[in-house]
Structure formats: C-alpha cells, structure tokens
Amino acid sequence: MKRTITVLVHNRSGVLNRITGLFSRRQYNIDSITVGVTENPSISRMTFVVVVDSMENVEQVIKQLHKQIDVLKIKDITDEATVARELVLVRIMATSVQRGEIASLAETFRAQAIDIGKESMTLQVTGNTEKVEAFIELVKPYGIQEVARTGVTAINRSAKMSTDTSRLTLIN
Amino acid sequence: MIHSKETEKQPVNDKNRLCTGSEILLKALASEGVEVIFGYPGGAILPTYDEIYKLGMNHILARHEQGAIHAAEGYARITQKPGVCIVTSGPGATNVVTGIADAMMDSLPLVVITGQVGTQLIGTDAFQEADMLGITMPITKHNFQIRSVDELAQTVKEAFHIAVTGRPGPVLIDLPKDISQQVTTFRYEKKIHLPGYQPTTKPNKQQIRKVLEKLQTAKKPVLLAGAGVLHAQASEELIQFTERNQLPLVNTLLGLGSYPGNNELHLGMGGMHGTYAANMALHETDFLINIGSRFDDRLTGVLEHFAPYATIAHIDIDPAEIGKNIYVDIPVVGDAKAALTMLLQGKGPNAEHDDWRKQTQSWKREYPLWFKRDKEVIKPQELIQKLYEQTNGEAIVTTDVGQHQMWAAQFFAYNKPNRWVTSGGLGTMGFGFPAAIGAQIAEPELPVLAITGDAGFQMTLQEMSILQELQLPVKIIIVNNASLGMVRQWQQLFHGERYSHSLFPIQPDFSKLADAYSIKAIKVEKLSELDGAIEETLSHAGPVLLEVCVAKEENVYPMICPGQGHHCMEGVKPS
C-alpha cells in the first residue's frame, strides 16, 4: 500500500541523505520524494510516498524517522483531508496541424503549452497523481518524447474534515 | 606587584583570548568532565594532538584505532559516561568503524572525533580522505562535520548530550584540519537547543497502570531485563519490583548483572544458549514484561514460537524498538528507572502465582547448566566456574564473541551491575581485550578479566603495549581451543562437519608474545594445574596472560537450533 508522509526537517546539508539512507537500509521503497523550504528558511518540508506491506511497517518508518535528530515533525497524512499536487512536463510530437487539437485537449486538464517547436510541443500539468497519469495516457497516442514528474507534494486542508481516528501517532 | 596584577587580569584576558579549534575542542572536552581520551594521532588531527601535548591531557595511546575505540567502549560500559576516542582522517577514521557499529548496536555512549582533510580539499579524494559522515551515518546515533570554528564548542556540547541521553549511542564529530587551526573566542554555553531531539523518559501513567493491572491477574508472569536497566542505573528498583511481586526474572546477554545472578528468582540468561529454566519460562509465560531489551533474534528465536501464550508489555526508552520485532500489547515509552519507580508506586501484590514460581524453580533445579568433567583435559566451563569462585564474583569480565563468551555468560554469575562487558549486538571479535583496558582504567581497583578466544585475541593483541606501558593489571585469559570455536560448532552441527577454515593447526606461542611485551605469561594444559595457575594469575600485581588449553571439541549447550522455539532446546541434559 502507498502512504503519504510529510516530514519537517532542518534545512541542512546531508539531511536528505540521512532520510533516504534510513529508508533504503530498512528496505522501504520510496515512490516519490519532494523537498523544499517552508515559510521558515531553516526548515524544509519533505513529502514522501512510500510503499509498505502493512500499517506496522508505516509505524516503524515513522518511528525510525523520528529518531533522526534533524527531523522535527512527522505525519502520515494518507487518511487526512489534504491537498496533494504533482507537476509534470510532457514533450510530445505535434505537427502544426495537430496543435489546435492538442491545445483543446490540454484545456480540459487545465494544462498549459509552455513550449512549442516545429514538430513538438511541451505541456505542463499540475494535479493529483491520478489526473497527471490520465493526462499522460491521453497524450500518449501523439508520441511522448520525454516526461519529467516532480512527485507528490502535499499539505493539510485548512478545514480538517477527517474523522478517522486510526491515524498513526507515536506512542505516548 | 606587576606579576600579581597580571594574574588578576588573567580571567578577563582569557575570556577574549583567541583559541584555535583544537584548543576549543579540548577545553570543551574538559568542560564535559572527560577524564581520559583513547586515540591515535595522524596528519589531519595533528593540531589537536599538539594541544593534547601542551595541555598534558590524560591520553591513552593504542596501537591500532580499533583498540582505542573498543577501550573507549569498555570505559563507557563501566562508567556510563561517554568514552572519548580521537583519531585521524581516512584510515584512522575507517579503523574505528567497527567500534562505532558495535557501540551503536549495544547502545554505548561514545564521542568519536575524527580528523578530516582541510575544508578546501573535502570531496577531492585528497590524501587520507574518507567520507566519514556518509560512512557512519547508519551506525551513529548522530554525526556532525564542523564547517566553522564558531560552531565547534556548541557541537561538542550537543554531541555529549546526544550520546548519553535517551537511548545512549555513539556520536561522531568530523573535524577538518583547517578548522582545528582557525581561531575564535571560547565560550561554552550551558543551553542546548535541539528541537528535533526530545527523548521521552517519563512513561505514560495509564500504560504503567495497565502493566500493574495485568500483573494482578497474571498466573505466569515473567520479567525480562535487558541492558536498558543498566543504562538507566535502575538495578535497585528492578530488585525491589521483582522481590515485591516475586517475579521470576530472565536476563538478556547484555542485561546480565542488572539483577543478582545468584538470586533465587534469577532464572539465568534467555535465548539461543540460555538456560532451560529461562527459556521455558519465556515459552510458558502468560505475561511477559520486557524492561530495556530490544527482542534481539538471538533472544527470541523464531518469532512465531516466541512467548506464544503471553500478553507482552515492553518498556523501552526508544519508541522505535516497541513493535519492531514483536507485537506488543502494552507499550511503555520511558526510561527503565522512571518506569520501575512508577511501577513501585502502584498497588502492591496480590497476584497468586506461587505454583508458577515453584514450577520455574523446579526447572532451574532439574535442568542446570552442565558439562562433563574430564580427569586431565580442562573443560572451558570449568575454567569459567573456577574464575568465578576464585574471584568471589568480584571481578569485571570482558569477552569477545563466540563459545568463550557464552560460557562466560553461563558459568560466571554477575551479581552486581557494571561487571560484564561483552559485544552483544555486533558480535565483534577483537573487542574483549581492548575493552578490558578501558574497564580497568574506569575501575582501577577491581580485578579485570579479559576472557577471550585464541582467535579473537589475535585480532587486537597489539594492545598489550598499553598494559606494558601503564602496568594495568588486566588478566588476559585465553580460552585456547585452537579454532574459531563457535564457527567450528556450527560447521559440526549444520555443515556436515566440514571445518572450512575454522581450525588453527598452528598457534603462535602466546607466552613468547606476552614476553615480547614484558607481560607475565602462564600456560596450562592439565586440569590439575588449573587452580594454581588461576591463583597465580589473580595474585600477581601486574598484567598476566593466562593461556588455558581447553578441550578442543567442546560445544556450547544447551542450544536452540535455528528455526526452533524456546521449548525445543537441545543438549539440556548430559547424554
């Protein structure tokens, strides 16, 4: 199962290495990882999507992460009300004749053409993973030249709607 | 007059005086109350060694960095204070990696300072450069690389704090050479600001109440005490709690000494080579309280057979240990001393488990540890037993890993805390002898027995130089079976008696080696000579190397074979 975990860490060199090293040593596969600074420049937010077998595994991941001295806060936000986004850039084959058709497709997904060449164009889409994947599927027939995805970054919604009490927290 | 004026001014001057990074490091170590440094000099750490020379600090020069760090571990194990080890960059630093990993596994507090090439050279594959931050990331509790001389003092402060608080562990400080030479004023703050590091020491009251409630109804309770009790210095509380509730107690390998080994309630060590009584108690129990042990696989055996009928309570300072290997019904995060104190404040006993206590006592009586005595040949178990008798148990014992370690755990009773120093988690050969040096420095008055195998001793025997130099009265006892004993045992039992590279047909003359280091040597081959040799060893004021040639094919029993549970021990009784 996939779980989305957000981690606040000190913005120091080597911290990402500590975190990813911990995952690989304990054989947890990271699906995606995004990192960026927060409103406080000395603190970064990481968003992981990890693949685990069970909830016990998630708990162990969280506890191990928590042992890192550079880790300030950890949350498994999978079952919470969140806003999760991923950005993807797709360069596809596009002759001048096809451009109009592609542009209208893109509009449905609120994708933007950010670069147009003679025989190709590059589109940018943001959204949750499902949307991003649906869009890539849709433009596939034109011929994909290159795809660059950022991985998911996520944050809690302003109004908490989650009533799920099984959310994982550290003991005590 | 002029002279005295200057003296008066001294403190003011000193406050604003510029110090080099090295000087700051040593001043910070002094502020932390460091009494002794174990180390080995080299290029990148030379400025620091220059300061050690100027300040005349108590420094023990090992002959290999591995010796230095194991000695620091032995010191840490006995004193509960961080062992300090200083080495140079590159090969000096990589030579301490084994000791760092060992300390990590056994939760020993260490502060390791490794020299590093100058900041301008870092990342260029410079002479004697190794990425120590990267190398030690998974085997330290935390590590630092100093990037500016201004952060050095604070980093040392944090390193010591991290090493001893919460679950103790090794902390590494990588110090680039140029930073050790840069100057700034020395200020040692009292405050520590580590928002991401707030270990929980006080357990949750409700969880403690659950433990007590379950204890009221349990019919077959067992207490499992690990090294966490020793780290928290909670032996007194453990004894009180156990006595009050008349709980049968099982120790882990590293927990030996946390409860008097000669007490009636003590069932012995649990696990692969534990006692029958301890393992049967772990199998039959309906309520297991684990205090300060991490459910290591050598203790639990196959997880599906571990404590199958028990409700399990786990008290540990490290939340990540709870539920890691074993599903736990009552998790308690906290320090063993705080937890036991709270447990003692709770309701008194009224649980009825007299029958259970009798049962565990009868196991203990009927299935004691055993060996077959021989007329001529010395049995290793008998050697350990005689060492116990002749020291009245008033000795510190250190060991490597293997057969001699298991016999030293089985046939020597540890009746007080901090008398037993062994490499548990990592199982490091070459650990025992240098660790004994650190232990002897920590406890100059107590006899220290470094019980090693002939193989492990050969990994760090060059540290006899330290004994020679300081005339430390460590007694090296080589249990010589001319083989890698435990490897040989496993090859015999599970690899069709194919002794692949585990036998030593040619042995060095250990007496001559000792002689080369000006250390008294005694060698015994016959049982009749053993008592006298031990007596001579113990009564000699200085260091002694006692080589005891023991039965070569003796195996460690009883044993839980791989894939088995606690109830399926082999070699429980003499065949």
Side-chain angles (χ1 to χ4, degrees):
Chain A
M1 70 174 118
K2 281 188 185 181
R3 306 293 296 184
T4 308
I5 297 167
T6 62
V7 188
L8 290 180
V9 298
H10 283 297
N11 181 11
R12 287 184 193 148
S13 69
V15 174
L16 183 62
N17 195 0
R18 280 180 204 284
I19 308 283
T20 52
L22 189 149
F23 276 93
S24 64
R25 188 163 66 91
R26 297 193 183 260
Q27 300 185 36
Y28 297 117
N29 190 27
I30 304 173
D31 223 39
S32 80
I33 180 168
T34 62
V35 192
V37 288
T38 61
E39 69 285 358
N40 179 346
S42 67
I43 294 173
S44 291
R45 172 189 290 274
M46 296 181 172
T47 307
F48 297 96
V49 177
V50 286
V51 185
V52 291
D53 302 334
S54 64
M55 288 307 276
E56 284 76 33
N57 276 344
V58 187
E59 192 175 326
Q60 189 55 217
V61 165
I62 291 175
K63 285 170 164 181
Q64 291 294 341
L65 280 172
H66 201 74
K67 277 170 77 166
Q68 293 293 324
I69 279 136
D70 285 316
V71 169
L72 301 168
K73 201 174 177 185
I74 310 166
K75 234 173 157 186
D76 176 353
I77 59 166
T78 319
D79 304 323
E80 292 190 20
T82 55
V83 188
R85 288 288 179 274
E86 184 174 5
L87 182 142
V88 65
L89 301 175
V90 196
R91 191 168 71 241
I92 52 171
M93 307 281 280
T95 58
S96 53
V97 190
Q98 289 171 312
R99 274 181 210 155
E101 183 186 324
I102 292 170
S104 67
L105 267 181
E107 207 174 308
T108 329
F109 279 80
R110 288 191 207 151
Q112 291 164 308
I114 53 168
D115 181 51
I116 297 178
K118 256 187 185 173
E119 282 164 3
S120 68
M121 61 194 289
T122 305
L123 299 163
Q124 166 194 313
V125 186
T126 51
N128 59 26
T129 305
E130 290 76 32
K131 179 184 164 184
V132 164
E133 268 160 17
F135 181 74
I136 293 171
E137 276 304 308
L138 195 70
V139 294
K140 228 178 209 169
Y142 294 97
I144 293 177
Q145 290 186 318
E146 217 170 345
V147 174
R149 288 171 76 157
T150 60
V152 177
T153 188
I155 201 164
N156 278 102
R157 278 187 189 279
S158 315
K160 287 201 176 178
M161 290 179 290
S162 169
T163 48
D164 188 0
T165 49
S166 72
R167 187 171 64 84
L168 286 167
T169 50
L170 288 170
I171 300 158
N172 283 10
Chain B
M1 280 302 280
I2 293 165
H3 181 76
S4 74
K5 247 186 193 172
E6 265 183 5
T7 328
E8 273 168 37
K9 271 186 187 170
Q10 198 63 34
V12 183
N13 278 341
D14 202 46
K15 208 175 175 185
N16 296 315
R17 193 170 70 81
L18 292 175
C19 301
T20 62
S22 298
E23 205 178 338
I24 288 168
L25 170 68
L26 295 179
K27 280 187 171 187
L29 294 183
S31 304
E32 290 296 332
V34 173
E35 296 159 339
V36 57
I37 298 167
F38 300 89
Y40 203 99
I45 200 75
L46 278 186
T48 302
Y49 269 82
D50 199 39
E51 282 305 323
I52 291 175
Y53 185 84
K54 285 187 212 156
L55 296 174
M57 292 193 71
N58 188 11
H59 176 276
I60 309 286
L61 175 66
R63 294 303 189 270
H64 186 294
E65 287 88 351
Q66 191 183 357
I69 195 153
H70 290 327
E73 287 185 84
Y75 176 85
R77 182 69 213 82
I78 297 299
T79 60
Q80 317 282 342
K81 290 195 276 190
V84 177
C85 185
I86 300 185
V87 296
T88 193
S89 66
T94 53
N95 277 347
V96 294
V97 166
T98 303
I100 295 173
D102 189 275
M104 184 70 175
M105 291 285 261
D106 291 349
S107 307
L108 293 178
L110 288 186
V111 174
V112 182
I113 293 134
T114 51
Q116 183 54 278
V117 299
T119 45
Q120 298 299 316
L121 287 171
I122 291 176
T124 66
D125 300 326
F127 175 64
Q128 293 197 327
E129 185 192 358
D131 172 17
M132 287 317 287
L133 221 54
I135 289 171
T136 62
M137 222 170 248
I139 53 166
T140 48
K141 190 169 169 190
H142 193 56
N143 59 14
F144 299 93
Q145 188 173 62
I146 311 290
R147 304 284 166 87
S148 145
V149 70
D150 292 313
E151 68 192 42
L152 180 54
Q154 186 62 21
T155 304
V156 175
K157 177 106 210 157
E158 287 173 8
F160 275 84
H161 177 72
I162 293 167
V164 289
T165 50
R167 178 179 182 175
V171 180
L172 182 128
I173 302 173
D174 202 35
L175 177 62
K177 186 171 186 177
D178 56 331
I179 287 177
S180 72
Q181 291 166 311
Q182 283 166 14
V183 290
T184 189
T185 49
F186 174 69
R187 242 191 321 174
Y188 209 58
E189 301 281 348
K190 288 214 172 103
K191 273 189 203 156
I192 278 176
H193 183 62
L194 289 168
Y197 178 67
Q198 306 288 338
T200 307
T201 50
K202 226 175 155 214
N204 182 304
K205 272 186 197 159
Q206 266 187 326
Q207 298 302 94
I208 291 285
R209 206 174 56 219
K210 277 189 199 165
V211 175
L212 288 169
E213 276 168 13
K214 179 65 197 167
L215 197 53
Q216 300 282 314
T217 55
K219 295 272 182 283
K220 300 173 174 182
V222 168
L223 204 61
L224 173 67
V229 176
L230 295 166
H231 294 307
Q233 302 180 35
S235 286
E236 272 307 312
E237 290 80 359
L238 179 70
I239 292 167
Q240 278 182 43
F241 182 66
T242 311
E243 300 278 316
R244 182 202 276 187
N245 295 285
Q246 287 296 301
L247 293 170
L249 183 136
V250 173
N251 261 144
T252 66
L253 171 69
L254 287 174
L256 290 172
S258 61
Y259 192 82
N262 56 4
N263 188 295
E264 191 196 15
L265 289 166
H266 190 262
L267 302 180
M269 178 174 76
M272 185 175 275
H273 292 296
T275 62
Y276 182 79
N279 284 341
M280 283 308 287
L282 287 173
H283 187 258
E284 297 292 315
T285 178
D286 66 349
F287 184 39
L288 177 65
I289 308 174
N290 171 2
I291 305 181
S293 139
R294 61 190 175 86
F295 286 126
D296 176 73
D297 56 278
R298 290 283 143 128
L299 173 88
T300 60
V302 176
L303 292 178
E304 61 184 292
H305 296 306
F306 180 76
Y309 318 111
T311 300
I312 298 178
H314 188 179
I315 302 169
D316 205 299
I317 191 128
D318 181 355
E321 287 304 337
I322 295 173
K324 187 181 81 176
N325 296 337
I326 297 266
Y327 175 79
V328 170
D329 303 279
I330 312 174
V332 185
V333 178
D335 168 85
K337 197 178 187 98
L340 283 162
T341 307
M342 281 169 80
L343 285 168
L344 283 165
Q345 283 161 357
K347 264 188 270 175
N350 54 18
E352 285 295 321
H353 50 252
D354 271 2
D355 292 348
W356 170 238
R357 210 165 45 80
K358 275 176 201 151
Q359 170 72 73
T360 57
Q361 289 306 318
S362 81
W363 281 326
K364 206 176 152 178
R365 245 187 345 267
E366 282 172 46
Y367 304 93
L369 292 162
W370 61 272
F371 63 91
K372 284 185 188 164
R373 202 170 260 118
D374 192 282
K375 268 187 204 157
E376 279 287 314
V377 184
I378 301 168
K379 288 298 179 82
Q381 300 93 331
E382 189 159 14
L383 163 67
I384 306 289
Q385 218 167 46
K386 284 183 186 293
L387 286 169
Y388 175 68
E389 284 159 10
Q390 291 211 27
T391 55
N392 298 316
E394 286 292 324
I396 292 176
V397 173
T398 75
T399 76
D400 273 10
V401 65
Q403 287 189 319
H404 72 275
Q405 177 192 35
M406 289 300 116
W407 287 317
Q410 290 177 334
F411 289 89
F412 200 104
Y414 302 92
N415 301 323
K416 287 179 186 167
N418 308 332
R419 294 282 198 270
W420 168 240
V421 185
T422 195
S423 173
L426 199 69
T428 308
M429 287 176 73
F431 170 88
F433 171 45
I437 293 170
Q440 185 76 79
I441 287 164
E443 282 283 3
E445 303 302 324
L446 277 178
V448 175
L449 313 178
I451 302 177
T452 75
D454 48 306
F457 181 63
Q458 290 186 63
M459 287 195 172
T460 46
L461 63 79
Q462 72 286 348
E463 304 310 336
M464 279 196 285
S465 274
I466 302 181
L467 297 192
Q468 179 189 17
E469 239 173 62
L470 304 178
Q471 276 302 303
L472 288 177
V474 170
K475 316 299 180 205
I476 305 163
I477 290 124
I478 302 177
V479 184
N480 190 348
N481 55 8
S483 63
L484 286 163
M486 195 59 98
V487 173
R488 193 207 55 76
Q489 178 170 341
W490 277 58
Q491 285 172 335
Q492 180 191 339
L493 299 177
F494 312 116
H495 295 275
E497 301 185 19
R498 288 178 295 279
Y499 300 117
S500 181
H501 300 271
S502 60
L503 308 179
F504 294 153
I506 296 173
Q507 290 267 302
D509 187 329
F510 288 108
S511 302
K512 279 187 182 164
L513 270 170
D515 203 35
Y517 288 96
S518 309
I519 289 168
K520 182 184 168 79
I522 303 167
K523 183 176 180 176
V524 274
E525 288 169 287
K526 284 185 200 150
L527 186 60
S528 54
E529 300 160 350
L530 186 60
D531 281 319
I534 292 175
E535 207 182 313
E536 195 184 342
T537 303
L538 295 174
S539 60
H540 183 71
V544 180
L545 183 149
L546 171 64
E547 180 189 354
V548 185
C549 299
V550 298
K552 285 184 181 161
E553 299 198 343
E554 193 68 13
N555 284 342
V556 182
Y557 284 118
M559 179 177 191
I560 303 172
C561 291
Q564 298 294 327
H566 284 123
H567 56 305
C568 304
M569 290 200 89
E570 284 177 28
V572 175
K573 280 200 161 185
S575 52

